[in-house]
Amino acid sequence: MPPEATRPCELHRLPEAPTLADLEVGFARRGAEIVACDAARRLAVETHQAEHALEAAARSRR
């Protein structure tokens, strides 16, 4: 499996005493990071599956 599919996501953390602005920015930033991480993982898994499908097809032709 590609490392992108198994690597944990890096997510924004709030400061010790967050202000309202910190919370608003934190929610937006964290949401964007989750979406980006999910897309990277999905792409890595789909690529991995496609590679194995191509390998299987090549083996079956032999």
Side-chain angles (χ1 to χ4, degrees):
M1 188 66 61
E4 291 80 6
T6 59
R7 185 179 316 133
C9 297
E10 297 270 338
L11 298 177
H12 174 73
R13 294 180 187 239
L14 293 172
E16 291 277 329
T19 64
L20 182 57
D22 291 330
L23 292 172
E24 290 174 351
V25 169
F27 280 122
R29 183 172 171 188
R30 207 172 162 108
E33 290 170 343
I34 290 170
V35 169
C37 182
D38 185 53
R41 284 185 175 188
R42 187 178 311 119
L43 179 60
V45 169
E46 289 172 1
T47 301
H48 180 71
Q49 291 171 337
E51 287 173 348
H52 283 278
L54 287 171
E55 290 170 352
R59 277 192 297 264
S60 68
R61 286 188 212 129
R62 290 181 187 163

